[in-house]
Amino acid sequence: MNAVAELPIAETGEPRAAHAGIDGLGRWGRRLEAACKGSAIAGSLVFVALVAMSIVSISGRKLASTPVPGDVEMLQLCAAFASASFFGWCHLNQGDVKVDFFTEWLGERQVHALDSLGSLLVAAFGALIAWRTAAGAASLHAAGETTMILGAPVWLGQALMVPGFALLALAGLYRAAWHLRHALRSAP
Amino acid sequence: MTGIAAGLVLFALLMGLLVLRVPIGIAMFAIGAGGYVWLTGGELAPLLNSLKNLAYARLSNYDLIVIPLFLLMGQFATHGGLSRALFRFVNAFMGHWRGGVAMASVGACAGFGAICGSSLATAATMGQVALPELKRAGYAGSLATGTLAAGGTLGIMIPPSVPLVIYAILTQESIGKLFMAAVLPGVIAMVGYMLVIRIVVACKPSMGPAGPRAPWSERLRALGAVLPVLAVFLVVIVGIYGGWANPTEAAAIGAAACGVLAVVNGGMRWEGLIATALGTAQASAMIFLVLIGADQLNTALAVSQMPAELAAWVKGSGLPPLLVMTAILVTYILLGCVMDSLAMILLTIPVFYPVVMGLEFWDLTPTDKSIWFGILALMVVEIGLVHPPVGMNVYVINRLAKTVPLVETFKGVMPFLLSDFVRIVALVFFPALSLVLVRTFHT
């Protein structure tokens, strides 16, 4: 028998329990996690829906020369807020890209202290962008700008991004406190 | 203060924040925003005004939407068991050679790279499938882990490739041409890795014993299982390049096809779908955060005029172009010691690209030069994934292998790194390696 024919399921990259959650979160952390996860999954589903719309539009255009009207605008409008909905989950799940080469020799305590500072900056960034994006949406609303083909209000697309960045700000605050607590608890 | 000096100050401050473990995107944003205020005369109002539209402009960019779509496609492929079918297929043909199971792993990595644009995902997914097989076939630990860490880099070298999409957006180059240009160097990389395995087992046959020969009936069955993967790759690449679909549409088709394959062939269920959704979210957010930060940083750099001044200075200095190119490539290798490949591309291309475009290389036209440099940059940033001290792929594979010490894995990677260097030098001297397919299939 060929060795490849039989692969033990446990070792073949089956997805690990996706609902398992992040370790070491408190009560508020769990609630925030649920919100971030829900937001991220909803965002991914928006992308799946956009994929379906694109397929319909492409086949419509190639086969019957009738694409979905305004498909490009729709894609841009929805992709923007769907992408924004991903940020909170990524930071809460500690998925940021950072350089850890220079701090490898530091103790756990110092690393937690630095990460607390980093998360605080993430929170500031999330809050700033949420505020400015909301202000941008408000001025677009006042100007009454709409998309070319569908006439969809542009401000709505921008306003829908605000919750995503607000979640990023909350995730940043939570992680800043979390790292600070770990910095104080761990041995110097 | 000259633009170059201002730019250097910004870079130095950025490095300071990075050393302090600030997430790369946030650090770039902070320096970019601060630098913008500093260089525009200390007023906050212009910055606050420009931020109103920053996030929406970035995230609604039509070309950029291919990134989450390619990531979704790769996640479906990862969680849908396509990796197993690929490995079985290549192994049915090569497994009976000496070192054949390791070569099959490389081949399967290349196949997976054709539907996945990320190296870490390729290394992790193929590692989970191939490491147990390599162990069972009696392969040396260092050869097994080295093969997969290096093979994982085929994930970004063979299109679709997320770093190439970013390069295309930064330089306003055609995604289709860059993907086409990456195909041949990607195949050369695969063959190079297979040759390395051949040489290693020729020197030490006990490291990679030959396995049993698979009968043709099994080979054909294995082929049937990978045909859909091949079809997806062809639709995406030919679709984009032939102008039949734009990259965003092609990525949507690829994601849909991989999704259907994952559910129908791979038996993906609810749990796999959630994992796919969260994986896509995490990987996209990771990239987009760095993109938004880089956007702000590049705005500040543009205000400082540093890229233009530097390009003019290098051009006027009379330095030999090849020396400049060597310096750029060495910079990438050094940066690769501490930084991730996407961040490197985003950070350096706005500065290096004008420099390269201002110099003469082998009488290339500007378009050819920009495509060639894109592939070259991709190749050098990719080796940062396997060389010490960061070598993310090495860590991922090492965690999966459990019984192989990290030092062994780094030792195992060395011969593959050598083949990387040979390929990069070859590409510097023979730009045609990347350009020949673009020219042949010119539409």
Side-chain angles (χ1 to χ4, degrees):
Chain A
M1 189 172 49
N2 190 292
V4 193
E6 264 195 342
L7 282 172
I9 294 299
E11 288 176 285
T12 50
E14 289 299 317
R16 243 157 287 162
H19 327 289
I22 309 167
D23 291 332
L25 296 185
R27 187 155 52 98
W28 287 103
R30 293 261 164 254
R31 286 179 190 169
L32 189 58
E33 186 196 2
C36 289
K37 233 180 190 177
S39 158
I41 291 173
S44 285
L45 289 182
V46 171
F47 272 111
V48 171
L50 290 174
V51 163
M53 185 202 69
S54 300
I55 300 289
V56 172
S57 184
I58 298 163
S59 11
R61 192 179 43 180
K62 295 288 169 194
L63 301 176
S65 319
T66 45
V68 174
D71 55 343
V72 172
E73 310 182 334
M74 197 64 165
L75 198 66
Q76 291 182 299
L77 205 75
C78 296
F81 73 80
S83 304
S85 75
F86 294 157
F87 289 120
W89 164 252
C90 181
H91 183 65
L92 197 68
N93 198 25
Q94 305 191 302
D96 312 285
V97 195
K98 46 174 88 168
V99 178
D100 43 17
F101 173 65
F102 300 101
T103 42
E104 269 170 352
W105 52 277
L106 285 178
E108 216 181 318
R109 179 171 209 163
Q110 285 88 342
V111 169
H112 275 304
L114 286 175
D115 282 350
S116 174
L117 197 74
S119 287
L120 209 57
L121 282 175
V122 170
F125 169 82
L128 178 66
I129 299 292
W131 169 45
R132 291 326 295 165
T133 304
S139 27
L140 284 173
H141 183 54
E145 199 175 310
T146 54
T147 60
M148 295 256 285
I149 298 170
L150 292 175
V154 179
W155 72 268
L156 191 65
Q158 208 160 337
L160 284 171
M161 296 176 75
V162 177
F165 285 105
L167 269 181
L168 176 64
L170 288 178
L173 277 182
Y174 180 82
R175 275 291 173 197
W178 185 90
H179 280 298
L180 188 64
R181 208 169 58 229
H182 279 73
L184 296 176
R185 271 189 204 159
S186 48
Chain B
M1 190 183 296
T2 67
I4 293 184
L8 286 179
V9 169
L10 294 185
F11 271 110
L13 290 172
L14 177 67
M15 287 302 151
L17 284 188
L18 292 184
V19 167
L20 295 176
R21 291 176 61 89
V22 175
I24 292 183
I26 301 296
M28 283 173 158
F29 178 84
I31 299 300
Y36 187 76
V37 172
W38 170 46
L39 294 166
T40 51
E43 293 277 335
L44 264 182
L47 174 75
L48 288 180
N49 210 28
S50 74
L51 288 185
K52 274 186 180 176
N53 199 31
L54 173 78
Y56 187 75
R58 235 332 151 204
L59 300 182
S60 68
N61 177 321
Y62 188 72
D63 283 335
L64 218 68
I65 300 173
V66 302
I67 292 179
L69 295 182
F70 276 140
L71 292 171
L72 187 64
M73 174 174 160
Q75 286 286 328
F76 275 131
T78 305
H79 296 293
L82 296 180
S83 45
R84 217 172 316 151
L86 281 167
F87 179 76
R88 274 182 199 172
F89 168 67
V90 194
N91 198 43
F93 284 85
M94 295 184 163
H96 60 284
W97 296 348
R98 205 192 280 157
V101 186
M103 291 184 197
S105 309
V106 169
C109 281
F112 197 75
I115 46 171
C116 176
S118 139
S119 276
L120 289 182
T122 305
T125 312
M126 290 313 308
Q128 280 166 327
V129 173
L131 279 175
E133 291 303 325
L134 286 162
K135 199 170 173 188
R136 192 175 318 171
Y139 278 60
S142 64
L143 180 61
T145 50
T147 300
L148 282 156
T153 62
L154 294 171
I156 58 170
M157 282 199 281
I158 292 187
S161 159
V162 172
L164 274 187
V165 173
I166 307 250
Y167 180 86
I169 290 168
L170 286 174
T171 60
Q172 299 181 340
E173 193 48 74
S174 138
I175 296 179
K177 281 185 183 170
L178 280 164
F179 277 8
M180 196 48 109
V183 171
L184 189 58
V187 170
I188 294 176
M190 176 186 82
V191 174
Y193 292 160
M194 287 182 174
L195 272 178
V196 166
I197 295 169
R198 188 101 217 174
I199 294 169
V200 168
V201 294
C203 297
K204 249 188 161 183
S206 64
M207 287 182 83
R213 181 186 288 269
W216 272 100
S217 59
E218 195 189 309
R219 290 181 179 177
L220 288 178
R221 222 181 19 246
L223 174 68
V226 294
L227 280 182
V229 176
L230 188 69
V232 171
F233 173 71
L234 285 180
V235 166
V236 171
I237 300 303
V238 176
I240 295 177
Y241 195 73
W244 182 85
N246 67 39
T248 311
E249 289 170 345
I253 297 173
C258 279
V260 171
L261 280 180
V263 174
V264 176
N265 282 6
M268 188 160 95
R269 292 295 168 260
W270 191 236
E271 200 151 280
L273 274 176
I274 302 251
T276 298
L278 288 177
T280 308
Q282 167 131 357
S284 310
M286 210 162 95
I287 294 173
F288 282 157
L289 198 60
V290 181
L291 264 170
I292 292 178
D295 225 19
Q296 187 61 44
L297 183 68
N298 290 335
T299 310
L301 282 180
V303 174
S304 81
Q305 307 248 321
M306 181 232 195
E309 277 182 25
L310 183 68
W313 179 79
V314 172
K315 194 176 181 179
S317 69
L319 289 170
L322 271 183
L323 185 70
V324 177
M325 183 55 89
T326 310
I328 289 178
L329 297 181
V330 170
T331 312
Y332 276 127
I333 291 172
L334 292 179
L335 276 178
C337 292
V338 294
M339 227 185 234
D340 136 283
S341 53
L342 274 183
M344 246 151 72
I345 296 250
L346 279 163
L347 191 64
T348 57
I349 291 299
V351 180
F352 288 162
Y353 185 76
V355 171
V356 170
M357 292 309 281
L359 296 172
E360 271 298 322
F361 290 99
W362 321 115
D363 295 323
L364 292 174
T365 64
T367 317
D368 281 355
K369 194 160 43 181
S370 109
I371 290 175
W372 169 64
F373 182 58
I375 305 300
L376 209 48
L378 178 75
M379 297 272 153
V380 252
V381 298
E382 147 274 323
I383 68 172
L385 285 163
V386 287
H387 71 64
V390 183
M392 283 302 292
N393 272 8
V394 174
Y395 287 95
V396 167
I397 291 298
N398 206 67
R399 215 178 306 147
L400 286 174
K402 292 189 190 91
T403 50
V404 183
L406 190 60
V407 182
E408 284 294 302
T409 305
F410 270 121
K411 266 191 212 157
V413 153
M414 286 306 153
F416 294 99
L417 261 181
L418 204 66
S419 92
D420 282 332
F421 283 120
V422 172
R423 190 177 63 251
I424 289 166
V425 172
L427 187 58
V428 169
F429 287 97
F430 302 100
L433 291 178
S434 58
L435 298 170
V436 67
L437 281 184
V438 185
R439 286 177 185 153
T440 312
F441 294 98
H442 183 68
T443 41

